[in-house]
Amino acid sequence: MEILNYNKNTLRRQLLQQRAALSMELWRSHSDLLCHHLSTCPEFISARTILAYQSCRQEPNLDYLFTHTNKQWGLPRCVGKNLVWHCWQPSEPMLIGAYGILEPSPELPPIEPDNVDLMLVPAVAIDRSGYRLGYGGGYYDRLRADPLWRKMLTIGIVFDFAYVETLPIEAWDLPIDNVCTELGVTKSTFIYAAE
Ligand code: ADP
Ligand code: MG
């Protein structure tokens, strides 16, 4: 597939269709493998506070990771155009928020970026340079435009079929440090445009 010739919307539709077509069995087994790779990588092991997500629309499921009760987990709420993060443990109930995404109660303690060691970033696709195709809301781009959030270590989470060579990018898209798929964790090879 010549990815560069596709615009973001066409790609989103195509990759989301491909993910929706995964059988339940494959979705589960790939998610568990992905969680295994993630939970044995040094960045995860050394992290104390980790920002994550609740799987939606067949995103890789992170439930296996949440059994690591020695971690402080953080989950986001969509508030207007921003993500607001709260401390969360698997015993806490979830509420249905914007876009039908499960989110933590607004009454749970907020998380400040200075206290976070690692952010797991959901995506529709990620490329070898770490650039991310999201759902089109720009939520993670806006969050990471703030220097306090920008310096945070990030691992993007996608199934291998969505880990592609090159994605179309725009001025505000920021690369992710590492990518985890069911095949393992890979460091992004940043490519900067020549001056
Ligand atoms: P996604 O990252 O979800 O795939 P896009 O990269 O296409 O989506 O961005 C969606 C929208 O978010 C863009 O039209 C852009 O206007 C807005 N956006 C992205 N980053 C910022 C930012 N740092 N400040 C303001 N708006 C932003
Ligand atoms: Mg973007």
Side-chain angles (χ1 to χ4, degrees), residues 8 141 172-173:
K8 282 186 170 181
D141 291 326
W172 55 80
D173 286 314

Side-chain angles (χ1 to χ4, degrees), residues 8-9 12 81 124 132-146 170 172-174:
K8 282 186 170 181
N9 284 336
R12 273 190 197 103
K81 288 193 164 289
V124 174
R132 168 182 180 271
L133 182 69
Y135 291 89
Y139 282 88
Y140 283 86
D141 291 326
R142 264 191 306 277
L143 180 75
R144 297 178 70 230
D146 178 335
E170 288 163 288
W172 55 80
D173 286 314
L174 297 166

Side-chain angles (χ1 to χ4, degrees), residues 8-9 25 40 53 66 72 84 110 138 148 158 162 168 183:
K8 282 186 170 181
N9 284 336
E25 290 72 26
T40 53
Y53 65 88
F66 298 143
Q72 171 62 66
V84 175
L148 276 179
V158 285
L183 301 184

Side-chain angles (χ1 to χ4, degrees), residues 130-186:
Y131 286 105
R132 168 182 180 271
L133 182 69
Y135 291 89
Y139 282 88
Y140 283 86
D141 291 326
R142 264 191 306 277
L143 180 75
R144 297 178 70 230
D146 178 335
L148 276 179
W149 292 90
R150 174 71 190 100
K151 64 179 189 191
M152 197 177 289
L153 182 67
T154 46
I155 301 185
I157 310 289
V158 285
F159 293 126
D160 186 64
F161 79 86
Y163 188 23
V164 301
E165 207 47 48
T166 318
L167 286 168
I169 54 170
E170 288 163 288
W172 55 80
D173 286 314
L174 297 166
I176 285 167
D177 300 303
N178 300 289
V179 176
C180 185
T181 75
E182 71 275 22
L183 301 184
V185 179
T186 311

